[in-house]
Amino acid sequence: MAEDGWTECVRSLKGVILDMCGVLYDSGAGGGAPIEGSVEAVKRLKASDLQLRFCTNETQATREKFVAKLRRMGFEIDVSEVFSPAPAVVSILKQRGLRPHLLVHDDVLPEFDGVEKSDPSCVVIGDAADNFSYQNMNSAFHVLIGQEKPTLFSMGRGRYYKETDGLKLDVGAYMKALEYACDIEAEVVGKPAPMFFQSVLNDMGVQPQEVLMIGDDLVNDVGGAQQCGMKGLQVRTGKYRPSDERHPTVTADGYVDNLAAAVETILKHRG
Amino acid sequence: MAMASRRALKAVLIDLSGTLHIEDAAVPGAQEALARLRRAPVALKFVTNTTKECKRTLHERLRRLKFDIEEQEIFTSLTAARNLLEQKVVRPLLLVEDSALEDFAGIETSDPNAVVIGLAPDHFNYQMLNKAFRLILDGAPLIAIHKARYYKKKDGLALGPGPFVTGLEYATDTQATVVGKPVKTFFLEALRDLNCSPEEAVMIGDDARDDVGGAQNAGMLGILVKTGKYRAGDEGKINPPPHLTCESFPEAVDHILTHLLDTK
């Protein structure tokens, strides 16, 4: 395996951030299946002296449900180690005293239980799947167009993702629709927003150059992490496509076949 | 008095809603003005952006309001979409309201390899948009009747087709082909069977950007009428400004008859 420049940073690493879907597991029927070697790789990282966090744009479930699913697959993961957009949005809403109108998946609603939602002053959208009906888009639009300065939070900005029964539009398409309708720009919460990565770094108490991000999404995982000063590694699993290695604007610090290979190399170079 | 550059006028394009009528009422004097224009040696065409009304429905309303208009003189954004489908020889997934389907009669729609988006609240749902998305990702052209952000309903504003078109453009990293006003090809298509160039035609409408700006961008003259959706100052919103801004359709006809036609 070609080991390029990224291995040079391994000795000074203090932490690793892992993307989840496409790195740990592939989504699909019955919740999906672990990617070969990933359960063991997480175990090995946890046994090392490196700090480990997980960073996902998953907004179709609460963190608790999501982590429970991964634990059933065999992953040793704790809810407190997982960063996802919904809790991040909730803390922004509280900081700024905003009351959201929610256009999200039913299964993520409990994340917003403690948030005042009457007389909404902003809109929060996530990957709402079947809830992306014309009526619901129109309701979100009405809240926005009724504000003097419309505020739209989007949990991620992905274009699409793959499920066992085919490709599905992601939240980004619906975010763009509302942006166009109201002539505004959404505030993205989640990858690749720098604030989102920064909150993970703050939790670890480390500097960005001491952290390696590993993901299957070149732009949102790798590019987003690099923008924050971290190193970014792309795995050739999940939504990876060979053309990613010739991307016009984002070049990963390294490409590895899967998480197991990445962890093997990291631990070897730390000696 | 000699005019700077008089063109030989051969055709007049006329917008419908807001120009000839406002909902179910004719603009005062419009029927009589149209009759006067008919007696002049110019071809006429009635052009409109519609996503849900077929030509027959539009025509029936105009007849009820006593306008002397034939159905085949009407050219709409739906017709423009149909023409494009025929040119490209593709089979569309039609995201338009049922009331518009009549204008696509005879077009093969099985096993679609193109996507046409009009205003179709009943079709703008997750399943259908995913279906459209996959077709476009597989190379199907995306054709938008128009890209309006929203429109006004009796009970308030409602999303137009534009947001959904934009979302699909983003997800697939492609650009839709828009067929309605103010796109240049719309006006050229409307003139196609009239045997005249844009320089020999004038457009009358109440929408500064879509009617007048679009027509002038295509090389025609544009006359803005202060009826329908016109708001004070609209004429200043386009560059170059309208050839003429006048009170209403009858005044526009008077201008054409006295200043734009060679009455020797």
Side-chain angles (χ1 to χ4, degrees), chain B:
Chain B
M1 202 196 308
M3 289 186 70
S5 66
R6 176 174 292 187
R7 308 173 188 206
L9 190 71
K10 285 188 179 170
V12 181
L13 301 189
I14 303 164
D15 172 52
L16 294 176
S17 174
T19 301
L20 289 187
H21 66 91
I22 288 139
E23 294 185 0
D24 283 321
V27 166
Q31 300 99 326
E32 191 273 332
L34 178 60
R36 276 188 289 139
L37 191 56
R38 286 240 181 246
R39 291 195 288 273
V42 286
L44 301 185
K45 201 150 245 188
F46 302 87
V47 296
T48 185
N49 268 2
T50 173
T51 57
K52 59 178 186 192
E53 289 180 304
C54 64
K55 280 203 277 190
R56 186 178 50 80
T57 309
L58 292 170
H59 184 236
E60 279 167 5
R61 180 192 293 124
L62 293 163
R63 293 303 292 246
R64 268 202 312 279
L65 297 176
K66 307 277 188 270
F67 282 103
D68 171 21
I69 290 175
E70 299 298 324
E71 190 176 320
Q72 60 267 28
E73 293 176 310
I74 300 175
F75 183 82
T76 81
S77 42
L78 291 171
T79 326
R82 185 196 174 106
N83 290 355
L84 187 59
L85 291 169
E86 287 176 336
Q87 265 170 39
K88 287 181 179 278
V89 198
V90 286
R91 303 175 303 277
L93 171 71
L94 291 171
L95 301 191
V96 298
E97 275 191 31
D98 291 350
S99 54
L101 285 177
E102 195 174 307
D103 281 352
F104 294 95
I107 298 264
E108 179 61 51
T109 55
S110 63
D111 185 22
N113 61 359
V115 175
V116 173
I117 299 198
L119 180 64
D122 293 343
H123 295 307
F124 290 149
N125 56 55
Y126 185 62
Q127 260 66 31
M128 194 57 100
L129 288 169
N130 277 340
K131 186 174 174 183
F133 159 69
R134 290 176 202 157
L135 287 173
I136 299 162
L137 212 56
D138 284 343
L142 172 60
I143 298 166
I145 306 293
H146 61 73
K147 280 185 79 173
R149 290 174 158 79
Y150 50 83
Y151 66 105
K152 201 167 180 173
K153 285 195 353 187
K154 286 190 190 92
D155 56 347
L157 298 176
L159 287 173
F164 297 93
V165 172
T166 306
L168 287 169
E169 287 180 329
Y170 171 74
T172 55
D173 211 2
T174 55
Q175 285 278 297
T177 303
V178 182
V179 294
K181 293 184 284 185
V183 170
K184 188 173 178 177
T185 49
F186 176 88
F187 296 97
L188 301 183
E189 277 287 298
L191 290 176
R192 201 162 55 142
D193 61 346
L194 299 183
N195 251 333
C196 81
S197 68
E199 288 71 25
E200 298 165 319
V202 60
M203 165 83 208
I204 306 171
D206 67 322
D207 189 314
R209 205 171 296 165
D210 285 359
D211 292 328
V212 178
Q216 297 199 142
N217 184 44
M220 306 169 54
L221 291 180
I223 299 179
L224 181 65
V225 290
K226 295 183 178 179
T227 51
K229 69 167 63 165
Y230 173 85
R231 293 286 169 272
D234 276 357
E235 57 269 42
K237 288 180 181 162
I238 56 168
N239 188 19
H243 164 72
L244 175 76
T245 302
C246 61
E247 286 310 314
S248 67
F249 179 70
E251 210 174 279
V253 169
D254 288 342
H255 175 84
I256 290 169
L257 294 177
T258 46
H259 295 295
L260 297 182
L261 285 171
D262 224 359
T263 50
K264 36 186 170 207

Side-chain angles (χ1 to χ4, degrees), chain A:
Chain A
M1 183 175 52
E3 285 173 9
D4 15 28
W6 73 274
T7 53
E8 286 164 25
C9 78
V10 166
R11 275 189 184 282
S12 55
L13 277 186
K14 290 190 175 160
V16 173
I17 302 175
L18 299 183
D19 172 40
M20 302 179 82
C21 183
V23 175
L24 302 184
Y25 72 102
D26 278 321
S27 67
I35 290 169
E36 202 182 332
S38 288
V39 169
E40 180 63 22
V42 169
K43 204 174 282 178
R44 293 182 70 190
L45 278 178
K46 282 210 153 177
S48 76
D49 60 339
L50 290 164
Q51 294 208 57
L52 182 61
R53 296 291 186 277
F54 301 89
C55 202
T56 177
N57 272 4
E58 169 67 45
T59 58
Q60 285 206 4
T62 60
R63 269 191 308 179
E64 284 74 15
K65 285 239 167 89
F66 182 54
V67 167
K69 178 176 93 174
L70 286 160
R71 291 178 72 94
R72 281 197 298 277
M73 290 182 200
F75 289 100
E76 288 172 19
I77 297 177
D78 193 77
V79 172
S80 63
E81 299 162 333
V82 176
F83 287 76
S84 69
V89 168
V90 168
S91 78
I92 292 173
L93 294 172
K94 286 182 173 162
Q95 263 169 39
R96 287 162 57 176
L98 291 167
R99 299 173 307 278
H101 170 92
L102 300 174
L103 177 45
V104 299
H105 199 280
D106 289 345
D107 292 342
V108 83
L109 280 173
E111 296 270 21
F112 295 88
D113 274 349
V115 179
E116 176 60 48
K117 298 182 223 27
S118 63
D119 185 24
S121 55
C122 69
V123 169
V124 174
I125 64 168
D127 178 12
D130 287 320
N131 281 347
F132 279 131
S133 63
Y134 181 78
Q135 283 71 20
N136 287 345
M137 285 291 284
N138 229 12
S139 306
F141 165 68
H142 280 149
V143 171
L144 290 170
I145 208 77
Q147 304 289 323
E148 198 178 324
K149 192 178 162 293
T151 305
L152 171 64
F153 294 100
S154 185
M155 298 194 284
R157 52 172 300 157
R159 293 163 193 260
Y160 58 90
Y161 54 86
K162 192 175 182 176
E163 285 201 341
T164 37
D165 58 338
L167 296 174
K168 305 279 173 72
L169 285 169
D170 200 355
V171 62
Y174 294 90
M175 172 195 86
K176 281 285 166 191
L178 290 173
E179 282 186 343
Y180 178 78
C182 306
D183 217 352
I184 55 170
E185 210 173 303
E187 298 182 36
V188 177
V189 180
K191 296 177 288 183
M195 272 209 358
F196 188 63
F197 284 116
Q198 192 57 51
S199 67
V200 186
L201 295 173
N202 292 347
D203 187 60
M204 289 195 276
V206 295
Q207 295 301 309
Q209 62 275 14
E210 300 168 329
V211 176
L212 178 68
M213 168 84 205
I214 305 177
D216 68 327
D217 187 321
L218 183 71
V219 173
N220 290 308
D221 294 330
V222 174
Q226 288 174 334
Q227 292 269 311
C228 290
M230 294 182 249
K231 298 282 182 198
L233 204 57
Q234 190 181 21
V235 287
R236 297 191 181 100
T237 53
K239 70 167 72 164
Y240 164 86
R241 291 159 67 158
S243 60
D244 288 347
E245 296 188 35
R246 304 181 299 276
H247 194 275
T249 55
V250 182
T251 306
D253 293 288
Y255 303 87
V256 288
D257 285 343
N258 51 39
L259 180 63
V263 171
E264 175 68 29
T265 305
I266 291 168
L267 297 180
K268 190 176 86 189
H269 280 78
R270 287 181 77 79

